[in-house]
Amino acid sequence: MILQALVNHYEQLAAKGRLETTGWQNAKVSFALRLDANGELRTIEDIREETQRGKKSVWVPQVLQVPEQVKRSSGVSSNFLCDNAAYMLGVDSKGKPERARTCFEACAHRHHEILDGVSHPAARAILRFFDTWDAARAAEHPLVVPLLKELAAANLVFQFGLDYAHEVPEIRSAWQRAYDTAPEGAQTMRCLVTGEMTEIARLHPSIKGVQDASTMGASLVSFNASAFESYAHDGGQGLNAPVGKYAAFAYGAALNHLLADRDHRMHLGDMTIVFWAEDAEEAYADLFSAMLGNDQRMENRDLLDVMRKLATGQRVNWENVPLHPENSFYILGLAPNSARLSVRFFLRDSFGAFAARMTAHHQRMEIVRPRNDPWETIPVFMMLRETVNPNASSKDASPRLAGEVLRAILGGGRYPSTLYQQVELRIRAEHEVTRGKAAIIKAYLLKNTPEGAMKDIVSEVAQVKLNEETRYAPYVLGRMFAVLEGIQEAANPGINTTIRDRYFNSACCTPAVVFPVLIRLAQAHLKKMDGGLSAYMNRQLQALMGMLDEAYPGRLNLSDQGIFQLGYYHQRQKRYEKKEEKNNG
């Protein structure tokens, strides 16, 4: 399913002229070997481009469309028309001169295989170069010496006159014929992706751009040990999951294209997430990126309005492009795993369905926010940061948790229990209920509480703002704790250690043990205050105590602890609102 979706995406992009045809790929190239008609090296042209990165100006390789490159981890295997200095010149940069000479000979042989019989002067010049170049003394050549260190880590191409050799039509045709011709002994099987009888790709393309994976690229499909191989396919590698040569190229080209696009990918934990519409229209990916909080250029209210319209099946215009909610949309989460890639999740649904689930998630996460909080909605990455120690060097959430949370949001499933547990652990450690933590508690309880009496109670207390009517004991106790804290702060302005620092965790867990102590402390604090303020705060406290129908509970379960924290958060925000109204008045 994943490979079929990627192959279809490649075909859509190729039809729009945004991806190369089979047998070709983009590669980073730094130098061009300019040859004359006799195959003699005239100059080594530096074709790197100057670009601005931050405050610095740096020189970076050009990205050129070159013949598809081989995948190599060891051994000697040459590319055609574009390779490193060991293959193209025989330059030794690793202290292994014999291996460099072998690489050069393999490169010469590869070019003779393809270009013998091609009459174009550029083809004859390349073959003449390989026949006459002294690879053993390459490092001493006057054109190579000043660039020796830079050539060691660069890709090179051939240039003839003003043209790159790989752009000459006759040479391109020769390469395409060689690429399309199955080698002797090539295995023909039914491709699992296209269903056609075709030559099977023994090695699959390298996928580049996945966070923390090998910079040389990693495999999405590969087999390197007998434990993973099918019967009678020992050492067959690609034969264990037969994918045709065309399908392997197509899915690799499409996935590398997605990963290279910074606007249409995002990182979450150790995951790299890419997403695309079935018709390859970029506006869908642009909007989805904004929905995930990856793009902050749009006003939040406008974004939510667009999401609600799509969720209800309405067509909308985004960047002057009409978006259809029924259009299929794909989301792929990848993570590094040694030399391979691990698929964390793959989701396919209509774009409107994803918009509906994101809208529902935002509604569950909606909670009264402090005046100084600039975020109208809480993006997924900020939501996950609430599970991390704020003093930790890395602010990334657990990789597994990040994947489970995003999958739950986009798939419409329940939030993972570890999300709630991690938030509770952070509250106990920090003695603070932030907006993000309160929003997670609210969303988790609304989504994960099963139908029944408790569901009705959760609906009462898990609201955007303070519910002053509910008499559910854990919520009322949370409100009481916020009032008791306010009494202490009013009686002792600037106090360093409050009851929240000393008693919050035990008040959440064992109210019957803690609240009698806190009430006695509050009476002492009320005596220190002036009469009007003391009477006002005492009325608040007494009103809340009067809402408790029973004695203080001996112990609260994990759900009720979250409800306690919601009551505490709501009451504190209500107090701050009144302060702001008073100051503004």
Side-chain angles (χ1 to χ4, degrees):
M1 183 65 182
I2 298 174
L3 300 189
Q4 287 175 327
L6 287 169
V7 169
N8 178 68
H9 189 53
Y10 163 79
E11 291 173 346
Q12 292 287 338
L13 291 171
K16 294 174 184 285
R18 287 159 51 192
L19 268 188
E20 61 273 10
T21 57
T22 54
W24 300 82
Q25 71 174 72
N26 289 332
K28 295 178 180 179
V29 182
S30 299
F31 297 94
L33 305 177
R34 190 164 67 84
L35 307 179
D36 64 15
N38 295 319
E40 186 175 342
L41 180 62
R42 286 300 183 184
T43 59
I44 300 178
E45 303 286 347
D46 188 338
I47 60 173
R48 291 174 293 183
E49 299 174 320
E50 189 175 15
T51 187
Q52 201 72 22
R53 288 187 178 172
K55 296 181 179 180
K56 292 184 177 180
S57 180
V58 295
W59 291 88
V60 298
Q62 277 197 57
V63 176
L64 302 179
Q65 189 185 87
V66 300
E68 183 181 332
Q69 298 185 305
V70 297
K71 183 176 181 180
R72 56 190 179 221
S73 55
S74 60
V76 174
S77 184
S78 173
N79 292 318
F80 180 62
L81 296 179
C82 176
D83 216 319
N84 61 44
Y87 283 89
M88 299 283 271
L89 295 171
V91 171
D92 172 36
S93 61
K94 299 181 179 180
K96 298 179 179 179
E98 287 299 323
R99 188 180 190 284
R101 199 169 300 120
T102 302
C103 290
F104 178 79
E105 290 169 357
C107 194
H109 178 71
R110 179 70 167 150
H111 283 76
H112 270 288
E113 278 184 328
I114 296 171
L115 295 180
D116 278 347
V118 178
S119 60
H120 193 278
R124 294 200 300 267
I126 291 170
L127 297 181
R128 181 66 177 161
F129 166 79
F130 280 112
D131 292 340
T132 59
W133 179 258
D134 187 357
R137 304 187 65 179
E140 301 171 13
H141 193 282
L143 293 176
V144 174
V145 171
L147 297 171
L148 192 58
K149 289 185 179 179
E150 293 173 288
L151 289 172
N155 275 332
L156 292 72
V157 294
F158 287 113
Q159 186 176 2
F160 186 78
L162 298 177
D163 299 322
Y164 294 127
H166 57 267
E167 294 178 347
V168 174
E170 289 89 338
I171 293 178
R172 290 178 68 89
S173 297
W175 161 250
Q176 200 68 54
R177 285 194 300 274
Y179 180 85
D180 293 338
T181 303
E184 287 188 27
Q187 186 76 43
T188 300
M189 297 175 68
R190 191 170 299 281
C191 172
L192 294 177
V193 179
T194 64
E196 298 176 356
M197 291 296 293
T198 184
E199 178 190 351
I200 298 302
R202 190 178 70 86
L203 296 177
H204 286 234
S206 293
I207 307 302
K208 300 179 181 180
V210 175
Q211 180 176 250
D212 298 329
S214 170
T215 55
M216 299 298 291
S219 295
L220 190 61
V221 180
S222 70
F223 304 83
N224 72 337
S226 59
F228 313 127
E229 294 174 340
S230 303
Y231 179 73
H233 289 317
D234 296 355
Q237 298 195 52
L239 302 182
N240 291 276
V243 175
K245 186 177 176 181
Y246 164 76
F249 166 84
Y251 91 71
L255 188 50
N256 280 318
H257 174 79
L258 290 165
L259 288 165
D261 186 353
R262 294 185 178 184
D263 293 332
H264 298 146
R265 72 163 193 244
M266 71 172 292
H267 299 304
L268 196 65
D270 71 336
M271 280 192 306
T272 301
I273 301 160
V274 293
F275 32 87
W276 66 96
E278 187 163 42
D279 61 0
E281 175 53 64
E282 289 190 355
Y284 289 92
D286 289 338
L287 177 54
F288 186 75
S289 183
M291 287 162 57
L292 290 177
N294 204 33
D295 185 346
Q296 295 297 316
R297 290 174 295 179
M298 187 179 187
E299 286 293 329
N300 203 271
R301 292 176 186 173
D302 295 337
L303 175 62
L304 292 175
D305 182 57
V306 168
M307 289 168 59
R308 291 189 190 103
K309 288 180 179 178
L310 287 166
T312 55
Q314 300 179 56
R315 297 182 182 182
V316 299
N317 281 330
W318 176 269
E319 299 175 346
N320 298 319
V321 176
L323 301 187
H324 305 276
E326 65 273 13
N327 194 16
S328 292
F329 196 75
Y330 302 86
I331 308 164
L332 175 63
L334 300 171
N337 181 18
S338 188
R340 293 169 183 75
L341 298 177
S342 171
V343 176
R344 284 289 168 80
F345 60 79
F346 177 64
L347 303 174
R348 174 190 179 275
D349 211 325
S350 69
F351 192 68
F354 285 123
R357 291 170 195 147
M358 286 295 295
T359 301
H361 166 71
H362 283 308
Q363 289 173 343
R364 289 191 294 269
M365 289 285 291
E366 187 179 0
I367 199 164
V368 59
R369 63 186 174 114
R371 186 67 64 88
N372 62 353
D373 189 335
W375 296 87
E376 288 190 43
T377 59
I378 301 174
V380 178
F381 74 89
M382 289 189 65
M383 174 186 176
L384 289 167
R385 282 184 183 174
E386 295 291 349
T387 67
V388 181
N389 185 341
N391 298 320
S393 57
S394 172
K395 299 297 185 286
D396 290 336
S398 156
R400 182 174 179 180
L401 176 62
E404 289 175 345
V405 168
L406 190 59
R407 184 168 188 168
I409 294 170
L410 297 173
R414 293 185 173 190
Y415 298 106
S417 58
T418 46
L419 173 66
Y420 188 80
Q421 292 163 3
Q422 286 297 315
V423 167
E424 288 296 319
L425 287 173
R426 292 315 318 154
I427 290 174
R428 290 172 192 170
E430 299 166 22
H431 307 133
E432 184 178 8
V433 184
T434 62
R435 177 201 175 196
K437 292 180 177 64
I440 291 171
I441 292 170
K442 173 178 176 282
Y444 182 89
L445 292 175
L446 286 172
K447 183 66 176 176
N448 289 41
T449 303
E451 293 296 333
M454 194 62 196
K455 187 76 170 180
D456 296 334
I457 292 170
V458 167
S459 299
E460 275 186 29
V461 299
Q463 297 187 9
V464 177
K465 292 187 176 183
L466 177 67
N467 183 347
E468 297 182 301
E469 304 301 322
T470 183
R471 303 175 74 89
Y472 189 60
Y475 188 80
V476 174
L477 288 169
R479 293 182 61 193
M480 279 181 60
F481 194 93
V483 170
L484 291 165
E485 184 183 21
I487 291 171
Q488 183 189 40
E489 290 174 350
N492 305 280
I495 187 172
N496 291 325
T497 303
T498 67
I499 59 171
R500 184 181 66 190
D501 301 310
R502 297 184 61 186
Y503 294 106
F504 188 80
N505 290 343
S506 51
C508 282
C509 299
T510 54
V513 175
V514 177
F515 270 88
V517 176
L518 297 178
I519 296 297
R520 288 196 297 271
L521 285 173
Q523 297 306 316
H525 292 143
L526 287 167
K527 292 176 182 178
K528 297 180 183 180
M529 298 157 58
D530 65 73
L533 181 59
S534 175
Y536 168 73
M537 301 202 79
N538 191 41
R539 282 197 303 272
Q540 274 192 308
L541 180 59
Q542 294 302 320
L544 290 170
M545 292 175 68
M547 295 178 73
L548 296 171
D549 298 327
E550 301 174 357
Y552 300 122
R555 181 173 293 277
L556 299 182
N557 61 34
L558 202 57
S559 294
D560 282 341
Q561 289 176 39
I563 292 172
F564 177 102
Q565 291 152 3
L566 272 180
Y568 170 79
Y569 178 81
H570 280 150
Q571 186 68 40
R572 277 181 65 87
Q573 293 308 311
K574 187 72 174 178
R575 177 153 57 96
Y576 291 145
E577 283 178 14
K578 289 182 177 179
K579 281 184 180 180
E580 289 167 358
E581 288 170 6
K582 184 178 179 181
N583 293 335
N584 292 336

